[in-house]
Amino acid sequence: MPGSMRGEYMQKTSNDQFNSFINKVISTIPYRFGEAREFISLSFGMMKYLTSAKISNLLIREYERLRRAHTPRGFPFHALIDVVNTCNLECPYCPTGRRQNSGRSDRLIDIECIHTFLNRFGKYLVAVDLFNWGEPLMHPRIVDIIRIFHEKCIFKQISSNLNIRNTNVLESICDAGLDNLIISISGTTQEIYQRYHRKGNLRLVLDNLKYIVNYKKQMKHNNPVIELKYLIFKHNSHQIADARDLAKEIGVDIFRARYAGGAEEEIIQINEEKKKLLYPDTGKSCCQLWRTVVLNSDGGIAPCCFLYFKEDDFADMSSIGNATPNQRYAEARMMFDKSAAGDLAPELQHPCLKCIFVHRQQHLKEYLATNPHAKQGHRSGGP
């Protein structure tokens, strides 16, 4: 990257007064309240990218969600883009980590596909997650992808295992305007960490984290906001306090401990009341069907972050319309509309019929019991 262009991106990040304000607000919250820090970081971070067109579209889309519109007006305002569908680790409860066949070939997303996607949705997008099933920092042009969205004034975040040996990439994602960087770990010692993050090197992750924190200070960058996320299993719950201390010592902005999914013998069961406090949307209807659009690495379009298999795609970039109006979308939204439940085909085959949110809809209880294709399961290929 030419020095003048690099300097331009550095200036956009380091001189952003709003970013400085966000960091100051976060710093006033006690470190143990990671959820509050994350909420403020994300909500304020997105505010700086809002335009009148985005606000208008967001309000229209939310109104259509509340009325359970089958073919809503407006456009999705949140996107997930799986920039690469492979990973360098072998986490056992992740279908990519288990090398489970998704029906897609291993591939990097094409930059032209991203441009096409932005031509259709970019004007109204508030935020984009540049990750889903793969390790995004494995894409050789991940910095270019961040810049593309930065130029479009869209909030962007990445979640990574940070098992890479390339400090140039670490510097460049900071310079390119990345807003939020989430790093997941599952232990504070290599022995515990590698039980889930198989083939991972904890020391490498921590060294990379320290490098980014120091680089931000050196360059006087406020972004990206760095979050260390600790995945809780039965085998590592005793190291939560140590992980929090480690995060504070390194100097990350946010620390969160989250209960992880997986095999029954490894996950920690929590009662329904605690689940509602930890995960406010639990038991409610799906929001992603109205808010989100997912772009897979091969150009496949899905409505939510859980759909893993190619056969469960709702469309692809060559066929999808501007506002995602197709039969699969309409049928999925009908499942959350009490007045439309009777219009569902008796033996409808649909990926959303496996979803836990659909199975929590009381008005569908009889329908789900009689449809042979409506068995709750794992669309994501999970254990």
Side-chain angles (χ1 to χ4, degrees):
M1 179 183 181
S4 59
M5 291 180 62
R6 182 182 178 117
E8 179 182 351
Y9 283 108
M10 288 167 60
Q11 186 175 22
K12 284 182 180 179
T13 303
S14 61
N15 294 342
D16 188 337
Q17 293 182 348
F18 203 97
N19 290 338
S20 177
F21 169 74
I22 293 170
N23 279 265
K24 287 179 180 177
V25 173
I26 293 173
S27 67
T28 64
I29 301 171
Y31 195 76
R32 66 182 181 277
F33 297 121
E35 299 287 342
R37 284 186 170 217
E38 182 202 39
F39 175 78
I40 291 173
S41 171
L42 293 179
S43 55
F44 280 16
M46 293 178 195
M47 282 176 59
K48 68 188 176 190
Y49 294 117
L50 292 178
T51 64
S52 57
K54 290 181 181 182
I55 293 171
S56 176
N57 176 73
L58 187 152
L59 293 175
I60 289 171
R61 202 69 173 189
E62 283 296 276
Y63 172 72
E64 298 288 72
R65 178 182 67 83
L66 292 172
R67 61 186 289 265
R68 303 289 187 265
H70 306 162
T71 53
R73 297 172 297 150
F75 296 76
F77 51 85
H78 171 232
L80 276 95
I81 299 183
D82 203 15
V83 296
V84 53
N85 65 344
T86 58
C87 186
N88 51 346
L89 302 190
E90 296 182 356
C91 303
Y93 306 139
C94 169
T96 306
R98 291 197 310 274
R99 307 300 187 252
Q100 184 166 350
N101 183 15
S102 66
R104 310 179 201 275
S105 59
D106 294 349
R107 63 177 298 157
L108 309 169
I109 198 165
D110 187 76
I111 298 294
E112 285 306 310
C113 184
I114 290 177
H115 284 304
T116 302
F117 179 84
L118 280 171
N119 287 339
R120 298 183 182 180
F121 299 102
K123 182 179 179 180
Y124 303 102
L125 282 180
V126 176
V128 61
D129 297 338
L130 296 173
F131 63 94
N132 197 17
W133 296 111
E135 169 49 55
L137 297 187
M138 290 177 62
H139 198 300
R141 297 190 64 184
I142 187 61
V143 176
D144 294 328
I145 294 171
I146 293 170
R147 289 190 190 115
I148 289 169
F149 284 92
H150 192 59
E151 290 174 350
K152 293 290 184 180
C153 296
I154 298 169
F155 180 92
K156 53 228 154 283
Q157 67 174 342
I158 279 177
S159 180
S160 170
N161 60 52
L162 214 59
N163 274 268
I164 66 167
R165 299 182 183 277
N166 189 337
T167 55
N168 287 333
V169 170
L170 302 182
E171 293 179 5
S172 296
I173 63 174
C174 296
D175 297 340
L178 183 66
D179 293 285
N180 203 46
L181 176 63
I182 304 167
I183 307 302
S184 295
I185 64 170
S186 55
T188 58
T189 60
Q190 179 64 25
E191 178 186 8
I192 298 296
Y193 170 77
Q194 68 186 7
R195 284 186 59 175
Y196 181 67
H197 283 91
R198 296 179 183 173
K199 290 195 172 182
N201 183 327
L202 180 61
R203 177 46 54 193
L204 176 61
V205 175
L206 299 181
D207 286 346
N208 283 337
L209 263 178
K210 292 173 185 176
Y211 190 93
I212 296 173
V213 170
N214 290 333
Y215 182 75
K216 282 179 57 182
K217 289 178 181 178
Q218 176 189 346
M219 304 306 296
K220 298 182 180 179
H221 286 338
N222 291 297
N223 278 13
V225 171
I226 302 173
E227 174 182 322
L228 185 63
K229 182 169 67 174
Y230 188 85
L231 303 179
I232 309 172
F233 299 98
K234 287 180 180 177
H235 72 264
N236 69 2
S237 59
H238 63 288
Q239 292 188 339
I240 296 174
D242 292 340
R244 184 182 292 109
D245 292 342
L246 185 61
K248 193 170 185 178
E249 177 187 331
I250 293 173
V252 302
D253 303 293
I254 299 169
F255 172 80
R256 288 193 307 139
R258 296 299 300 265
Y259 291 99
E264 289 295 323
E265 66 271 15
E266 272 290 359
I267 62 173
I268 297 175
Q269 300 292 342
I270 52 179
N271 62 44
E272 290 301 315
E273 290 304 313
K274 189 173 183 180
K275 192 178 293 185
K276 288 177 182 178
L277 290 173
L278 291 171
Y279 312 109
D281 289 332
T282 298
K284 298 180 181 179
S285 64
C286 175
C287 295
Q288 294 192 61
L289 282 168
W290 287 269
R291 293 174 176 171
T292 301
V293 58
V294 177
L295 175 63
N296 286 297
S297 58
D298 61 354
I301 295 289
C304 79
C305 59
F306 294 110
L307 291 175
Y308 175 72
F309 299 106
K310 175 68 176 177
E311 64 183 14
D312 289 340
D313 284 351
F314 277 27
D316 59 62
M317 282 306 299
S318 65
S319 65
I320 194 167
N322 284 343
T324 61
N326 70 19
Q327 185 177 357
R328 270 195 163 180
Y329 269 101
E331 290 169 340
R333 293 173 181 136
M334 286 170 63
M335 297 175 195
F336 297 94
D337 179 4
K338 292 180 181 179
S339 65
D343 297 330
L344 293 169
E347 296 192 5
L348 176 67
Q349 296 187 45
H350 196 288
C352 291
L353 287 173
K354 299 178 182 179
C355 177
I356 189 171
F357 287 108
V358 170
H359 281 260
R360 286 175 175 166
Q361 305 304 306
Q362 290 301 311
H363 64 274
L364 289 179
K365 189 174 182 179
E366 183 177 337
Y367 175 81
L368 295 172
T370 57
N371 185 338
H373 307 293
K375 183 179 180 182
Q376 184 177 328
H378 291 276
R379 299 163 300 166
S380 65

